[in-house]
Amino acid sequence: MAKSKAVAKSAPKQENALAAKKSASPYQLDPAQVERAAKGLIAHMKKHAQEKEDKADKKNLAADEDDAAEQDQAIFLTVTTKQHVHDTSRLKPTKLPLPHPIIASDVRICIFTKDPQRAYKDLIYESSDFPAELRTKVARVIGVDKLKKKWKSFETKRQLLAEYDIFMVDDRVTKIVAEALGKTFYSTKSKRPIPIKLVAGAYVDKSKKDDKKKQDNVVGTPTGVAKEIESALSATYVSMSASTNTSIKVGKLSMTAQQLKENVEAVVEKLVEKHIEHKWRNVRGLYIKGPTTKALPIWSAEEMWVDEEKVLNEAPTRAITEGSSKGEKRKKWEEWEEEMLDDEDLEEKRQRRKAKKSKKDPEQTKSRSISKDKRNKLKQEALSSVQTPLIAG
């Protein structure tokens, strides 16, 4: 009896396990494939770096000390999708936590804060609760008003950009800071300010709408703000744009293949499930690569399309509607039709079009290219040049 009860109790667990297995997504990363690609990529990049160093005529001692971070090359995850990602480029990049941080420990951080900036300076530099090790990394705190007054010109913004390694911004003033910094900071994604919550640790009662101004002026606790900064330093960021190709920094050359594999798996899980429409059904391929290397595949989709019902066996026939843009519609339709043709059929179509144009009367073509007013003027000049014969009365 005891044995039968044990079997009965284990039966529901087995059924739940089978149900979970059936509901699991068939689209999964193969850890072995990711690790093989990581090992191959790291070995290739190190070999190439060694060959480059051996070919150098003279060893640059200053470069070994000052450009160590530059020698530790970045490794990227490239995600290609079947359909365009509809998430447009935003001022707030998507945060993807990493098990192994890729940002160096000796970085210089600049933080843009909501006014008054003195409150945040005291929180970071004066409070004993703020970690001393992290305090050494925060090199500067700049308020919005000071940013607008002191860094107006293009040259001063360029100097600010080059002076610090990482920039962070209070998420309450992200838009204001973006307008103040302009294209100098936001034309590329390399040093775009990372949004953080500087109210972290403080209690905010959102139920009281009348106290909105008080809520905007809330300053977080030293412990809460420190955790926000540390969390930002241990993550990677991606700004999703309306395209089929997205590149994300997931590692560096100094990492082991195991560390790179774990970072790739963590990023893929968060990115596909939360930030790509149709999730795995919309992913065409996943690759890892260095700054100048070829992409190594770690996952490839078997289906070429998200929805097979939308794939047509032949070009549809559409009637061109009347309107002012009739010529533009016809031109676009012909361009699309040419893309669908083979090389031989395309060449044959072009030859027919060329032969058709050559049959046209040159004089007629010339007359059509002249405006109506000019044609009437030429006609009047021709008539006036002919002498009218005298008629005998």
Side-chain angles (χ1 to χ4, degrees):
M1 291 291 291
K3 188 175 180 180
S4 61
K5 286 182 180 179
V7 172
K9 288 182 179 178
S10 63
K13 292 183 179 180
Q14 291 177 357
E15 290 178 1
N16 293 336
L18 289 172
K21 190 174 181 180
K22 289 180 181 179
S23 63
S25 173
Y27 306 96
Q28 300 277 339
L29 273 180
D30 182 6
Q33 173 63 18
V34 179
E35 191 169 0
R36 281 195 298 268
K39 285 180 179 178
L41 180 62
I42 291 173
H44 172 75
M45 291 176 67
K46 286 183 177 179
K47 182 181 177 181
H48 186 267
Q50 186 64 41
E51 290 176 354
K52 187 177 180 181
E53 186 178 346
D54 294 341
K55 288 180 181 179
D57 296 333
K58 294 182 180 180
K59 192 174 181 181
N60 191 346
L61 297 177
D64 290 341
E65 297 174 1
D66 300 334
D67 300 335
E70 186 176 330
Q71 293 177 4
D72 193 6
Q73 301 177 55
I75 297 176
F76 300 90
L77 170 72
T78 301
V79 182
T80 60
T81 56
K82 301 170 188 175
Q83 294 181 352
H84 280 205
V85 178
H86 295 293
D87 191 6
T88 57
S89 182
R90 299 175 296 180
L91 298 177
K92 294 184 178 181
T94 300
K95 180 180 176 182
L96 302 171
L98 294 174
H100 306 285
I102 57 178
I103 298 176
S105 58
D106 56 344
V107 292
R108 287 170 54 81
I109 304 172
C110 176
I111 303 178
F112 302 112
T113 69
K114 197 178 188 299
D115 291 315
Q117 69 175 18
R118 173 50 57 188
Y120 300 96
K121 281 187 174 182
D122 292 342
L123 183 146
I124 295 172
Y125 299 118
E126 302 297 334
S127 176
S128 59
D129 294 333
F130 196 87
E133 185 181 353
L134 187 59
R135 184 184 294 118
T136 58
K137 297 179 184 179
V138 182
R140 192 158 198 170
V141 176
I142 303 174
V144 172
D145 289 342
K146 189 174 182 180
L147 176 65
K148 291 180 179 179
K149 292 176 182 177
K150 192 171 181 179
W151 288 275
K152 286 184 178 180
S153 65
F154 176 76
E155 289 76 11
T156 54
K157 292 175 186 177
R158 291 276 294 178
Q159 291 173 3
L160 181 64
L161 181 68
E163 191 174 352
Y164 303 98
D165 304 311
I166 302 290
F167 292 89
M168 298 183 183
V169 58
D170 189 341
D171 62 350
R172 295 172 294 180
V173 292
T174 301
K175 188 175 181 181
I176 299 172
V177 170
E179 291 173 354
L181 296 175
K183 292 183 179 179
T184 308
F185 278 73
Y186 285 86
S187 60
T188 62
K189 299 176 184 178
S190 58
K191 283 190 178 182
R192 188 174 291 189
I194 300 168
I196 58 174
K197 295 180 179 180
L198 293 183
V199 297
Y203 174 74
V204 179
D205 189 0
K206 296 182 179 180
S207 62
K208 297 181 179 179
K209 297 181 180 180
D210 297 338
D211 298 339
K212 189 176 180 181
K213 291 183 178 179
K214 292 182 180 179
Q215 293 174 12
D216 290 341
N217 294 327
V218 169
V219 178
T221 62
T223 306
V225 173
K227 286 182 179 179
E228 273 289 306
I229 297 173
E230 288 172 351
S231 175
L233 292 175
S234 62
T236 189
Y237 298 86
V238 57
S239 296
M240 303 296 291
S241 57
S243 67
T244 59
N245 196 314
T246 301
S247 184
I248 311 159
K249 187 177 179 181
V250 292
K252 49 188 179 180
L253 188 55
S254 60
M255 282 183 169
T256 64
Q258 180 67 21
Q259 290 175 332
L260 180 58
K261 178 184 82 74
E262 291 174 2
N263 276 6
V264 169
E265 290 174 342
V267 169
V268 169
E269 182 183 358
K270 294 290 183 182
L271 184 71
V272 173
E273 293 299 322
K274 293 186 177 181
H275 305 290
I276 294 182
E277 192 177 1
H278 303 301
K279 300 182 180 180
W280 278 102
R281 292 283 299 173
N282 192 18
V283 179
R284 172 169 286 184
L286 300 171
Y287 311 83
I288 55 173
K289 66 183 296 295
T292 58
T293 68
K294 291 184 177 180
L296 295 180
I298 59 174
W299 189 87
S300 181
E302 295 179 0
E303 306 93 346
M304 294 296 292
W305 310 96
V306 175
D307 189 355
E308 293 291 342
E309 295 180 357
K310 294 183 180 179
V311 181
L312 303 179
N313 295 325
E314 57 183 11
T317 55
R318 298 181 183 179
I320 299 175
T321 57
E322 297 293 334
S324 59
S325 60
K326 181 179 178 181
E328 293 179 3
K329 290 181 180 179
R330 185 184 294 276
K331 185 178 178 181
K332 288 181 180 178
W333 182 257
E334 288 179 355
E335 289 177 355
W336 181 86
E337 191 178 16
E338 288 181 358
E339 290 180 1
M340 301 294 294
L341 294 175
D342 297 334
D343 293 340
E344 295 180 0
D345 296 337
L346 181 61
E347 184 63 27
E348 184 180 349
K349 183 180 179 181
R350 288 176 177 172
Q351 291 295 336
R352 289 200 305 268
R353 189 184 298 171
K354 190 175 180 181
K356 188 176 180 181
K357 287 183 179 179
S358 62
K359 290 181 181 179
K360 291 184 178 180
D361 187 5
E363 294 296 329
Q364 185 181 3
T365 305
K366 184 178 179 181
S367 65
R368 285 179 180 177
S369 62
I370 301 174
S371 64
K372 185 177 179 181
D373 294 338
K374 191 172 182 180
R375 190 161 59 248
N376 291 336
K377 186 179 180 182
L378 291 173
K379 185 176 179 181
Q380 292 296 331
E381 289 177 356
L383 290 174
S384 61
S385 63
V386 178
Q387 294 182 357
T388 306
L390 295 176
I391 301 173

